[in-house]
Amino acid sequence: MPELPEVETIVCSLRNPADRAFAEGQSLRERPGIVGRQVAGARLNWAKTLALPDWQQFQQEVTGQTVQAVTRRGKFVVIPMGTNTLLFHLRMSGDLRVEPQDAAEQKHDRLLLDFSDGTRLSFNDPRKFGRAWWATDVQSVLGDLGPEPLDEGLTGQEMYARWHRSSRAIKTLLLDQSLLAGVGNIYSDEALFLARIHPLTPGNCLTPVQAEALLAGVRQVLHEGIERNGASIDWVYRGGDFQNYFRVYQRTGEPCTVCGTPIERRVIGQRSSHFCPHCQSFTGCS
DNA sequence: CCGTGGTCCTGTAGGC
DNA sequence: TGCCTACAGGACCACG
Ligand SMILES: [Zn+2]
């Protein structure tokens, strides 16, 4: 589930003042954060969740460390703690929650950090695809990531150069984290719709103008997603409402918001892709 | 280099 | 009620 806007929303909530009190029905924006809290102990309920290092070493080294900051890189949550950094990738169903230690452990909690002030951070992940790393060198985990789409220094020309090198479908290229970090299945469909580009368009058929428009579309949908606290679908991830503003994603058969043509769904690179066959007609390529 | 199919997992929706 | 299949915010691998 979580793509850049959902991860950004979670990261922001973890950065909230840590001295806030817990309350019933708090939104993500209202909840207390974790910066400044000290780890008193850790628990691992699913071995594979901890990618590196082994549990023994992790548990030993993380205990006593203090949360210095919470940041985001692509879809990764980055938490510097002393000389090491704790990283999470939420994959399809991961979530990070802050709660009092006396609260009952939740179903699907995979990794828990107990803080010395009586609170805890829990990594909840029903599908078990999510991973955590405890790394001295952050680049060993984040090294292959492409640029941040919301970095103002990133230009359309740069993305044109990156996308133009490949003959793969632009839908697939948008999901390639080494070309651009943070975009997933929802936001790639939405961005292609805004840029009026057919998802099967080969990267090397894109024009510089289209690349510019696509980066602008990516930025717009990411901003919208962040504004709405991300998208909440099914039982995974709660708190956002961008799902109520989808233009094409999971709207198969429903009318295009621009021209009324039924939205089409087809599988591209093992992922379902939704688009308007009229607004996003393939313009051709030499 | 490219596309395809399989893997890792649990949960839900829909057809019968 | 079940039972069965398809599908889901992601990423990685082997193969031809
Ligand atoms: Zn349309």
Side-chain angles (χ1 to χ4, degrees):
Chain A
M1 159 261 331
E3 304 180 33
L4 188 152
E6 291 75 29
V7 178
E8 181 68 17
T9 302
I10 290 170
V11 163
C12 281
S13 80
L14 295 179
R15 249 188 331 238
N16 285 342
D19 55 8
R20 284 184 188 171
F22 290 99
E24 209 56 41
Q26 262 172 331
S27 70
L28 280 173
R29 288 190 192 282
E30 296 164 339
R31 292 219 293 246
I34 61 167
V35 177
R37 292 195 166 142
Q38 186 182 33
V39 177
R43 264 171 302 149
L44 184 65
N45 294 335
W46 184 256
K48 286 183 176 177
T49 296
L50 183 61
L52 278 174
D54 60 72
W55 169 243
Q56 188 81 349
Q57 187 187 338
F58 172 74
Q59 181 264 133
Q60 204 170 324
E61 292 183 4
V62 78
T63 302
Q65 299 298 321
T66 298
V67 175
Q68 292 166 341
V70 184
T71 61
R72 178 191 60 73
R73 175 77 174 97
K75 300 174 193 171
F76 287 83
V77 178
V78 182
I79 308 176
M81 303 177 75
T83 56
N84 280 41
T85 300
L86 178 61
L87 300 107
F88 289 98
H89 195 302
L90 280 35
R91 294 282 176 92
M92 291 288 262
S93 62
D95 193 13
L96 285 167
R97 303 166 184 171
V98 186
E99 54 208 0
Q101 262 165 48
D102 53 25
E105 203 169 300
Q106 312 245 1
K107 192 176 184 185
H108 308 308
D109 277 352
R110 308 300 181 198
L111 176 63
L112 302 99
L113 294 185
D114 288 325
F115 297 116
S116 57
D117 64 356
T119 64
R120 74 170 169 231
L121 176 71
S122 58
F123 179 57
N124 187 281
D125 183 27
R127 294 184 68 180
K128 300 176 175 173
F129 293 161
R131 292 292 180 267
W133 295 260
W134 176 247
T136 44
D137 175 22
V138 174
Q139 284 307 304
S140 64
V141 181
L142 306 176
D144 288 337
L145 288 180
E148 282 292 320
L150 298 182
D151 177 347
E152 290 179 17
L154 179 64
T155 64
Q157 287 95 336
E158 167 69 14
M159 290 318 302
Y160 172 75
R162 287 172 169 262
W163 289 326
H164 196 69
R165 268 180 231 134
S166 172
S167 63
R168 293 150 80 205
I170 187 61
K171 167 68 179 177
T172 304
L173 296 179
L174 277 172
L175 297 177
D176 187 332
Q177 302 299 298
S178 70
L179 297 176
L180 186 66
V183 178
N185 211 30
I186 295 176
Y187 295 90
S188 58
D189 276 4
E190 297 295 317
L192 285 166
F193 175 77
L194 287 185
R196 303 175 63 88
I197 296 170
H198 193 288
L200 282 175
T201 308
N204 56 14
C205 289
L206 280 187
T207 65
V209 171
Q210 284 180 310
E212 194 80 49
L214 185 49
L215 178 58
V218 165
R219 284 174 165 161
Q220 185 182 326
V221 295
L222 293 180
H223 280 305
E224 288 177 2
I226 292 169
E227 190 86 5
R228 309 261 173 215
N229 296 319
S232 305
I233 307 176
D234 300 336
W235 80 105
V236 187
Y237 180 81
R238 312 152 321 275
D241 68 335
F242 186 59
Q243 70 279 6
N244 298 321
Y245 301 87
F246 291 161
R247 296 170 177 89
V248 286
Y249 186 76
Q250 282 189 350
R251 291 195 62 241
T252 310
E254 293 175 41
C256 168
T257 54
V258 171
C259 74
T261 303
I263 299 302
E264 263 182 40
R265 171 189 183 271
R266 57 198 285 182
V267 177
I268 301 172
Q270 350 268 90
R271 310 300 299 277
S272 65
S273 179
H274 312 77
F275 62 100
C276 171
H278 180 257
C279 295
Q280 297 168 264
S281 60
F282 184 39
T283 47
C285 172
S286 49

